[in-house]
Amino acid sequence: MAHIHLEDGSFTLFWVAVWWVIALVVIAAALIWVRSVKKTDNRKITLAAFCTAAAFAIFQVSIPLFGGVHLNLTPLIGILTGPALGSLIVLIINILSAAIGHGGWGLVGGNLLVNVTEVLVAYGTWNVLKRLFPGAFARAGIATLLGLFCGNLAMIAIILVSGVQGVTQSSSQILAGLTLIAGVNMGVAVIEAFITGMIITAIIKARPDLLEGERP
Amino acid sequence: MTTTGTKKEMVIFIVVIAVVGIAALVAFRIAGPMGIEERFQNALGIPHDAGDVPGDSGVSGFSLEGQPLLYAVVLCVLGIICIAMYRHFHF
């Protein structure tokens, strides 16, 4: 559950623009990918809509664990909808979240890159581990853990590269602090790994046609 | 591919979960109990409630956060952009 929980003005305008431009390039690539599919599968679109609603809702629910955290469901989004639709879903979630004050508008670009990393890594791991982990539960769980771990790395990298305005701490002090945040986040990733594993298992049992190559 | 999987892969999964869980508990013990925003502020050395200082309106001359009217305006603009893109590309 990596998300840059900083207010507008934390990054300089230059870095806000840089992350937004990179995020827009990613979104453009996702749009081109989606449009390149001759006939879009209506089931995927429906699934994407459900994923958007569910992930946005769960994004706002603070779990009273580790002092208060929230789940993301980004790895689940990646596994169910793939990288192209997944990138568009996390864009919508980040915009709606910023609209209700969950992270600043200027940080939507950076947060989008963090969440896209989670979507991509989870999707890739889910597919790559097919042979090694034929069981869906463990594979989905490990894909979730790895996706969220890489999301945390992306979050740390973006903050370290950008720097935070009005902060006197050195880079090594910031890195130490962010590493602790990533460590705590991985505790939530454990819960999310179980949830993703259970949801994927349930979907394969009930609707195996929604996930290619899977059978109950 | 099946939903259940083999015993071996479940053992690997549980070991990974245990290692990550222990690391997270150690991190939590060091960081201490606090909310998400507070944890970020502590990690980066940001003074608490720095964003609420009067007159701190950033480079744009106004503060967007916490102003419902500006949020509504930005949302409307984004909505219009989405409708325009939807009509243009005919998804």
PDB file of all heavy atoms in Angstrom, chain B residues 51-67:
ATOM      1  N   GLY B  51       1.249  22.681   7.004  1.00  0.00           N
ATOM      2  CA  GLY B  51       0.396  23.122   5.901  1.00  0.00           C
ATOM      3  C   GLY B  51      -0.693  24.084   6.340  1.00  0.00           C
ATOM      4  O   GLY B  51      -1.288  24.759   5.522  1.00  0.00           O
ATOM      5  N   ASP B  52      -0.956  24.173   7.639  1.00  0.00           N
ATOM      6  CA  ASP B  52      -2.040  25.018   8.111  1.00  0.00           C
ATOM      7  C   ASP B  52      -1.575  26.415   8.507  1.00  0.00           C
ATOM      8  O   ASP B  52      -2.352  27.203   9.017  1.00  0.00           O
ATOM      9  CB  ASP B  52      -2.731  24.363   9.325  1.00  0.00           C
ATOM     10  CG  ASP B  52      -3.364  23.036   8.928  1.00  0.00           C
ATOM     11  OD1 ASP B  52      -3.658  22.869   7.737  1.00  0.00           O
ATOM     12  OD2 ASP B  52      -3.551  22.186   9.832  1.00  0.00           O
ATOM     13  N   VAL B  53      -0.303  26.700   8.279  1.00  0.00           N
ATOM     14  CA  VAL B  53       0.213  28.009   8.652  1.00  0.00           C
ATOM     15  C   VAL B  53      -0.443  29.074   7.773  1.00  0.00           C
ATOM     16  O   VAL B  53      -0.442  28.955   6.551  1.00  0.00           O
ATOM     17  CB  VAL B  53       1.756  28.058   8.468  1.00  0.00           C
ATOM     18  CG1 VAL B  53       2.280  29.440   8.787  1.00  0.00           C
ATOM     19  CG2 VAL B  53       2.401  27.018   9.358  1.00  0.00           C
ATOM     20  N   PRO B  54      -1.037  30.134   8.358  1.00  0.00           N
ATOM     21  CA  PRO B  54      -1.684  31.155   7.545  1.00  0.00           C
ATOM     22  C   PRO B  54      -0.682  31.828   6.614  1.00  0.00           C
ATOM     23  O   PRO B  54       0.447  32.111   7.007  1.00  0.00           O
ATOM     24  CB  PRO B  54      -2.218  32.158   8.582  1.00  0.00           C
ATOM     25  CG  PRO B  54      -2.218  31.428   9.881  1.00  0.00           C
ATOM     26  CD  PRO B  54      -1.145  30.408   9.785  1.00  0.00           C
ATOM     27  N   GLY B  55      -1.101  32.083   5.402  1.00  0.00           N
ATOM     28  CA  GLY B  55      -0.245  32.758   4.446  1.00  0.00           C
ATOM     29  C   GLY B  55       0.656  31.815   3.683  1.00  0.00           C
ATOM     30  O   GLY B  55       1.338  32.216   2.745  1.00  0.00           O
ATOM     31  N   ASP B  56       0.676  30.536   4.043  1.00  0.00           N
ATOM     32  CA  ASP B  56       1.508  29.560   3.349  1.00  0.00           C
ATOM     33  C   ASP B  56       0.754  29.051   2.125  1.00  0.00           C
ATOM     34  O   ASP B  56       0.106  28.021   2.157  1.00  0.00           O
ATOM     35  CB  ASP B  56       1.837  28.399   4.303  1.00  0.00           C
ATOM     36  CG  ASP B  56       2.748  27.367   3.664  1.00  0.00           C
ATOM     37  OD1 ASP B  56       3.382  27.722   2.658  1.00  0.00           O
ATOM     38  OD2 ASP B  56       2.808  26.239   4.172  1.00  0.00           O
ATOM     39  N   SER B  57       0.806  29.832   1.055  1.00  0.00           N
ATOM     40  CA  SER B  57      -0.025  29.495  -0.092  1.00  0.00           C
ATOM     41  C   SER B  57       0.770  29.002  -1.292  1.00  0.00           C
ATOM     42  O   SER B  57       0.228  28.875  -2.378  1.00  0.00           O
ATOM     43  CB  SER B  57      -0.874  30.698  -0.472  1.00  0.00           C
ATOM     44  OG  SER B  57      -0.076  31.843  -0.527  1.00  0.00           O
ATOM     45  N   GLY B  58       2.051  28.745  -1.118  1.00  0.00           N
ATOM     46  CA  GLY B  58       2.839  28.125  -2.178  1.00  0.00           C
ATOM     47  C   GLY B  58       3.110  29.041  -3.351  1.00  0.00           C
ATOM     48  O   GLY B  58       2.780  30.226  -3.331  1.00  0.00           O
ATOM     49  N   VAL B  59       3.663  28.468  -4.414  1.00  0.00           N
ATOM     50  CA  VAL B  59       4.084  29.283  -5.556  1.00  0.00           C
ATOM     51  C   VAL B  59       2.903  29.798  -6.368  1.00  0.00           C
ATOM     52  O   VAL B  59       3.001  30.790  -7.073  1.00  0.00           O
ATOM     53  CB  VAL B  59       5.017  28.474  -6.480  1.00  0.00           C
ATOM     54  CG1 VAL B  59       6.358  28.264  -5.845  1.00  0.00           C
ATOM     55  CG2 VAL B  59       4.378  27.157  -6.877  1.00  0.00           C
ATOM     56  N   SER B  60       1.765  29.074  -6.298  1.00  0.00           N
ATOM     57  CA  SER B  60       0.615  29.456  -7.123  1.00  0.00           C
ATOM     58  C   SER B  60      -0.153  30.642  -6.530  1.00  0.00           C
ATOM     59  O   SER B  60      -1.029  31.200  -7.178  1.00  0.00           O
ATOM     60  CB  SER B  60      -0.328  28.262  -7.281  1.00  0.00           C
ATOM     61  OG  SER B  60      -0.684  27.773  -6.007  1.00  0.00           O
ATOM     62  N   GLY B  61       0.156  31.038  -5.308  1.00  0.00           N
ATOM     63  CA  GLY B  61      -0.520  32.171  -4.703  1.00  0.00           C
ATOM     64  C   GLY B  61      -1.783  31.807  -3.953  1.00  0.00           C
ATOM     65  O   GLY B  61      -2.416  32.653  -3.348  1.00  0.00           O
ATOM     66  N   PHE B  62      -2.198  30.549  -4.044  1.00  0.00           N
ATOM     67  CA  PHE B  62      -3.360  30.109  -3.273  1.00  0.00           C
ATOM     68  C   PHE B  62      -3.159  28.658  -2.861  1.00  0.00           C
ATOM     69  O   PHE B  62      -2.391  27.930  -3.483  1.00  0.00           O
ATOM     70  CB  PHE B  62      -4.655  30.253  -4.085  1.00  0.00           C
ATOM     71  CG  PHE B  62      -4.654  29.469  -5.352  1.00  0.00           C
ATOM     72  CD1 PHE B  62      -5.087  28.141  -5.379  1.00  0.00           C
ATOM     73  CD2 PHE B  62      -4.209  30.038  -6.533  1.00  0.00           C
ATOM     74  CE1 PHE B  62      -5.085  27.416  -6.552  1.00  0.00           C
ATOM     75  CE2 PHE B  62      -4.194  29.310  -7.704  1.00  0.00           C
ATOM     76  CZ  PHE B  62      -4.630  28.008  -7.722  1.00  0.00           C
ATOM     77  N   SER B  63      -3.842  28.285  -1.798  1.00  0.00           N
ATOM     78  CA  SER B  63      -3.714  26.907  -1.312  1.00  0.00           C
ATOM     79  C   SER B  63      -4.926  26.098  -1.764  1.00  0.00           C
ATOM     80  O   SER B  63      -6.070  26.465  -1.524  1.00  0.00           O
ATOM     81  CB  SER B  63      -3.622  26.915   0.212  1.00  0.00           C
ATOM     82  OG  SER B  63      -3.591  25.595   0.682  1.00  0.00           O
ATOM     83  N   LEU B  64      -4.645  25.010  -2.480  1.00  0.00           N
ATOM     84  CA  LEU B  64      -5.729  24.196  -3.041  1.00  0.00           C
ATOM     85  C   LEU B  64      -6.324  23.273  -1.983  1.00  0.00           C
ATOM     86  O   LEU B  64      -7.540  23.060  -1.942  1.00  0.00           O
ATOM     87  CB  LEU B  64      -5.159  23.356  -4.183  1.00  0.00           C
ATOM     88  CG  LEU B  64      -6.151  22.708  -5.127  1.00  0.00           C
ATOM     89  CD1 LEU B  64      -6.956  23.759  -5.850  1.00  0.00           C
ATOM     90  CD2 LEU B  64      -5.412  21.845  -6.135  1.00  0.00           C
ATOM     91  N   GLU B  65      -5.432  22.751  -1.131  1.00  0.00           N
ATOM     92  CA  GLU B  65      -5.882  21.738  -0.177  1.00  0.00           C
ATOM     93  C   GLU B  65      -6.853  22.330   0.848  1.00  0.00           C
ATOM     94  O   GLU B  65      -6.621  23.386   1.410  1.00  0.00           O
ATOM     95  CB  GLU B  65      -4.666  21.142   0.541  1.00  0.00           C
ATOM     96  CG  GLU B  65      -5.029  19.891   1.279  1.00  0.00           C
ATOM     97  CD  GLU B  65      -3.971  18.811   1.105  1.00  0.00           C
ATOM     98  OE1 GLU B  65      -3.306  18.784   0.067  1.00  0.00           O
ATOM     99  OE2 GLU B  65      -3.831  18.020   2.034  1.00  0.00           O
ATOM    100  N   GLY B  66      -7.957  21.637   1.042  1.00  0.00           N
ATOM    101  CA  GLY B  66      -8.937  22.041   2.041  1.00  0.00           C
ATOM    102  C   GLY B  66      -9.931  23.080   1.547  1.00  0.00           C
ATOM    103  O   GLY B  66     -10.725  23.601   2.314  1.00  0.00           O
ATOM    104  N   GLN B  67      -9.887  23.443   0.240  1.00  0.00           N
ATOM    105  CA  GLN B  67     -10.836  24.414  -0.304  1.00  0.00           C
ATOM    106  C   GLN B  67     -11.820  23.683  -1.224  1.00  0.00           C
ATOM    107  O   GLN B  67     -11.493  23.376  -2.377  1.00  0.00           O
ATOM    108  CB  GLN B  67     -10.099  25.503  -1.074  1.00  0.00           C
ATOM    109  CG  GLN B  67      -9.253  26.368  -0.159  1.00  0.00           C
ATOM    110  CD  GLN B  67      -8.879  27.685  -0.802  1.00  0.00           C
ATOM    111  OE1 GLN B  67      -9.576  28.196  -1.666  1.00  0.00           O
ATOM    112  NE2 GLN B  67      -7.763  28.243  -0.386  1.00  0.00           N
TER     113      GLN B  67
END
